Amino acid sequence: MLRTHNCGELRKEHVGTEVTLCGWVENKRDHGGAVFIDLRDRYGLTQVVIGPPEADQAQIDAAGHVPAESVILVRGKVADRLQGKTNDKLATGAIEVRCPELEILNACQTPPFTPGQADLPGEDLRLKYRFLDLRRPEMLRAMVLRSTIIKEMRDYFAEHDFIDVETPILGRSTPEGARDYLVPSRVHPGSFYALPQSPQLYKQILMVAGFDRYVQVAKCFRDEDLRADRQPEFTQLDLEMSFVDADDIMGLIDGLVAQTAKNVLGKEVKLPLPRMTYDEAMRRFGHDAPDLRFGMEIVDVTSVAKKTEFRVFRATADAGNFVRGIRAEGAAEKYSRRQIDELTEFVKDFGAKGLAWFRVEEDGSLWSPVAKNFDAEHLAEIKSLMAGEPGDLLMFLADSWEVTCKGLYALRKRLGAELKLYDADQLHCSWVTEFPMFERDEESGRWVAMHHPFTAPLKSDLEKLDSDPQACRAQAYDLVINGSEAGGGTIRIHDQKTQSKVFELLGIDEATAEDRFGFLLNALRFGAPPHGGIALGVDRWVMLLAGLENIREVIAFPKTQKASDLMTEAPGAVDQDQLTELHLRSLAKKAE
């Protein structure tokens, strides 16, 4: 090794020791008679001094010209810092290394930004020079946290007798909702591999093979539109178990959550994690991944709306739609008319036509520009249903179930942040269960699987596959952390009769099923055990446990929202010879 110690290691007990350190020049202070350098590596900072009596003026002058972020090697003796100059913010703050000279291993040209600068540059610049951005302490902490969490996951499942099995990256395209990334085959002209959206089919086959408990930290790929918490390639902790039900899997993950929270964050999580059904989550919070760090639940006042003379409420209720609202406790004085108008425009982005609101006055009455359209009796009923107290702000949407869910969920989320209704450092984990088996595709109007076509229905709902598919519930469960889906899984169908019926409802005929999933269906015919599993989003876990809001902050080399890598400039063009070898022709070039 070029170095004897790292830059976060030296303490007072090392005083007098001859050491060699290597690292990057964090910053430099030239005091004329001596040069002070903060030397950085991933372990920390050490102050290095090039000055008398160890160094002569020529050596001091040379040190003063070393560019920031250069890689240097220093040899010297550990000494106490000058009297009263101990830096309590640094683990190495009680010492310094006094050196006669330094060796430049690699001089750095002027960087577009430095890791230690107070104001961050734009994200595009950070991604283009990711190697500089990753030197920032915040990025290093995120990467270390990610490594720690993944190790904790691996250790936990190893202790529970899981076998770590790698599944293929090059597989067959089996459409699962999102677009596949396709890879052309040179050996089989006109044929394509697909990068896996998940190891779903392979892990089910491993259960048929008798592996019983499988786990893998898996790379997955989906060619879909991106947002702050989504990437085209992502990592998930994937597992499958045989001879289990949903309670077994959720109980196992409860233990993982508690152990990870304790060992990584030092936080206690009470078990079992709370559970609610999908229907309850939509009714109370308007979303299947509710943030339970605060209340502000949705309340249905449609029963009162049917009796009022307020045309918006009455017409909505008479049409079979809903009037639902939320109560912002003590917020009446915190939102002006202009700010409420802004909230009205905000909910319109989610399909709402407007926002009705009432302020609870000191005498307990409700005031609003539309209050004159309500009888006192009906206002009292609304106040009672909403549990309104003086100073509260009551807000309502009148529309379809879907629009009231989307609009009030978004409004609740915004108000929760603006009113600081929760501790950002708080960790709240819960389960949402019993999702619908099917949902209608907006374009075609046909049934599609809410999860995937191998999801088993609740045993009590089996008959509904024939009589009422819309009411059929799945043996599905999602893990929710602080209002974000952090994992999802299902119990799988393992009998041919039920699988055939589900395929029929999804419009997948026997020939299509064999073409898309034949290898799995064939495996299921050879003694498939009851089985189920879950996939946990590693990137999302790290983001949430780190208290961040952008998933790119916890991935070493992420893609932008346009699915490009600004550092390597991927995706990029390839030459014609490569295309010819793959039997491909670029239509995009011809269009230019």
Side-chain angles (χ1 to χ4, degrees):
M1 299 291 289
L2 293 180
R3 58 190 178 186
T4 60
H5 298 78
N6 64 56
C7 293
E9 186 176 354
L10 299 175
R11 301 292 188 272
K12 282 187 72 69
E13 58 265 28
H14 295 99
V15 169
T17 305
E18 293 283 347
V19 298
T20 302
L21 301 180
C22 297
W24 287 260
V25 176
E26 170 86 359
N27 57 60
K28 177 183 59 182
R29 302 174 298 283
D30 191 340
H31 291 179
V35 173
F36 294 78
I37 292 175
D38 288 335
L39 192 63
R40 181 193 73 239
D41 62 14
R42 60 167 274 206
Y43 304 99
L45 287 172
T46 296
Q47 178 170 283
V48 175
V49 183
I50 295 91
E54 294 83 8
D56 60 29
Q57 192 59 46
Q59 293 166 330
I60 294 171
D61 291 342
H65 289 88
V66 176
E69 293 303 311
S70 294
V71 184
I72 66 173
L73 179 150
V74 297
R75 295 185 182 90
K77 184 175 290 187
V78 181
D80 285 312
R81 286 212 183 192
L82 295 177
Q83 190 68 28
K85 296 291 186 179
T86 296
N87 186 345
D88 295 330
K89 295 180 180 179
L90 291 179
T92 60
I95 59 91
E96 61 191 22
V97 177
R98 303 191 65 87
C99 307
E101 60 183 337
L102 58 80
E103 178 183 348
I104 299 177
L105 299 178
N106 200 322
C108 180
Q109 67 183 46
T110 303
F113 63 91
T114 57
Q117 69 184 57
D119 54 326
L120 276 179
E123 188 180 44
D124 283 358
L125 189 64
R126 289 174 52 208
L127 292 179
K128 181 173 178 61
Y129 294 93
R130 191 61 161 181
F131 43 83
L132 293 177
D133 194 44
L134 287 169
R135 295 179 189 175
R136 292 192 301 113
E138 295 83 1
M139 290 302 302
L140 175 61
R141 281 195 292 270
M143 294 302 108
V144 171
L145 178 65
R146 183 186 181 100
S147 177
T148 303
I149 289 173
I150 291 175
K151 181 180 184 303
E152 198 68 45
M153 288 176 164
R154 291 187 188 278
D155 290 347
Y156 179 83
F157 288 107
E159 291 168 3
H160 286 79
D161 297 327
F162 280 76
I163 304 172
D164 193 323
V165 183
E166 293 183 8
T167 53
I169 293 296
L170 296 176
R172 177 172 178 142
S173 178
T174 54
E176 298 176 37
R179 297 182 195 89
D180 285 328
Y181 276 102
L182 300 177
V183 180
S185 170
R186 177 185 59 81
V187 179
H188 302 280
S191 295
F192 294 81
Y193 300 104
L195 304 184
Q197 295 187 27
S198 77
Q200 180 64 48
L201 304 184
Y202 288 107
K203 67 180 181 181
Q204 290 192 245
I205 288 175
L206 287 171
M207 295 303 101
V208 179
F211 278 40
D212 189 68
R213 293 189 172 206
Y214 140 92
V215 71
Q216 179 186 188
V217 177
K219 270 289 186 186
C220 304
F221 308 84
R222 291 181 183 176
D223 186 6
E224 57 187 352
D225 295 334
L226 307 181
R227 55 178 186 248
D229 62 348
R230 183 175 288 172
Q231 284 279 293
E233 55 177 311
F234 55 96
T235 306
Q236 66 184 36
L237 189 288
D238 195 61
L239 67 96
E240 195 82 2
M241 304 169 68
S242 294
F243 309 113
V244 292
D245 58 22
D247 288 336
D248 295 319
I249 294 172
M250 286 187 281
L252 181 78
I253 302 304
D254 277 5
L256 174 66
V257 169
Q259 182 169 308
T260 303
K262 183 175 182 179
N263 293 350
V264 176
L265 300 180
K267 295 182 178 181
E268 295 291 337
V269 173
K270 185 179 179 181
L271 298 183
L273 298 181
R275 302 179 186 181
M276 70 174 68
T277 65
Y278 171 87
D279 287 344
E280 182 184 357
M282 299 302 291
R283 175 174 53 81
R284 294 173 58 192
F285 303 101
H287 199 267
D288 59 8
D291 191 338
L292 301 183
R293 289 175 293 179
F294 64 104
M296 200 184 287
E297 296 188 19
I298 297 173
V299 178
D300 193 325
V301 298
T302 310
S303 59
V304 183
K306 290 179 179 179
K307 300 183 288 186
T308 71
E309 296 305 317
F310 182 44
R311 184 170 56 84
V312 174
F313 279 17
R314 181 70 174 267
T316 299
D318 287 347
N321 287 317
F322 299 84
V323 180
R324 305 165 75 202
I326 56 176
R327 175 176 72 102
E329 186 177 351
E333 297 301 320
K334 297 177 182 178
Y335 284 88
S336 65
R337 285 291 300 272
R338 180 183 61 80
Q339 289 172 311
I340 293 176
D341 289 342
E342 290 176 359
L343 294 179
T344 301
E345 293 304 311
F346 173 74
V347 297
K348 287 181 180 179
D349 291 340
F350 302 92
K353 301 177 184 68
L355 179 69
W357 58 274
F358 295 89
R359 191 170 63 213
V360 184
E361 304 283 46
E362 286 301 316
D363 62 2
S365 62
L366 299 187
W367 184 91
S368 167
V370 300
K372 60 182 181 291
N373 298 292
F374 293 81
D375 293 341
E377 177 187 349
H378 297 147
L379 289 175
E381 283 189 66
I382 290 174
K383 177 190 169 187
S384 176
L385 286 171
M386 300 296 295
E389 296 290 340
D392 291 348
L393 184 62
L394 313 179
M395 289 163 281
F396 300 89
L397 296 185
D399 217 303
S400 66
W401 177 263
E402 291 77 12
V403 169
T404 59
C405 281
K406 290 179 181 179
L408 290 174
Y409 163 74
L411 185 61
R412 175 181 181 269
K413 184 177 180 180
R414 173 171 170 167
L415 294 176
E418 289 181 354
L419 297 172
K420 295 181 171 55
L421 299 182
Y422 55 86
D423 180 356
D425 292 330
Q426 183 182 355
L427 185 68
H428 193 290
C429 308
S430 63
W431 290 99
V432 174
T433 65
E434 298 183 13
F435 285 77
M437 277 282 290
F438 310 103
E439 54 188 346
R440 289 285 187 186
D441 179 74
E442 292 183 3
E443 294 183 5
S444 66
R446 67 181 182 85
W447 291 118
V448 294
M450 181 170 274
H451 286 80
H452 54 71
F454 307 102
T455 301
L458 289 178
K459 292 179 181 179
S460 58
D461 286 0
L462 265 174
E463 294 181 357
K464 294 179 182 177
L465 288 176
D466 291 309
S467 62
D468 189 5
Q470 187 169 358
C472 190
R473 295 163 296 169
Q475 294 188 58
Y477 33 85
D478 278 4
L479 177 68
V480 180
I481 300 178
N482 292 353
S484 291
E485 180 191 339
T490 70
I491 298 299
R492 326 301 184 188
I493 298 170
H494 69 282
D495 69 280
Q496 191 63 39
K497 181 180 178 182
T498 303
Q499 188 65 75
S500 297
K501 182 61 185 177
V502 170
F503 278 157
E504 179 186 331
L505 287 168
L506 296 175
I508 301 174
D509 59 33
E510 187 174 342
T512 303
E514 286 293 336
D515 179 60
R516 289 185 181 180
F517 312 111
F519 61 95
L520 174 63
L521 297 176
N522 190 44
L524 294 178
R525 298 182 184 110
F526 285 84
H531 60 284
I534 191 170
L536 306 176
V538 171
D539 310 308
R540 191 81 56 87
W541 268 56
V542 179
M543 180 184 75
L544 294 169
L545 270 59
L548 300 172
E549 296 182 355
N550 187 334
I551 210 162
R552 293 187 288 275
E553 296 296 289
V554 298
I555 299 173
F557 302 103
K559 304 293 189 293
T560 68
Q561 286 190 305
K562 292 185 178 180
S564 61
D565 181 340
L566 299 181
M567 186 182 70
T568 66
E569 298 184 346
V574 297
D575 61 43
Q576 187 57 49
D577 289 343
Q578 287 177 282
L579 293 176
T580 301
E581 193 173 31
L582 293 168
H583 310 279
L584 296 176
R585 179 164 51 91
S586 174
L587 299 179
K589 286 187 177 180
K590 184 173 284 189
E592 293 174 4

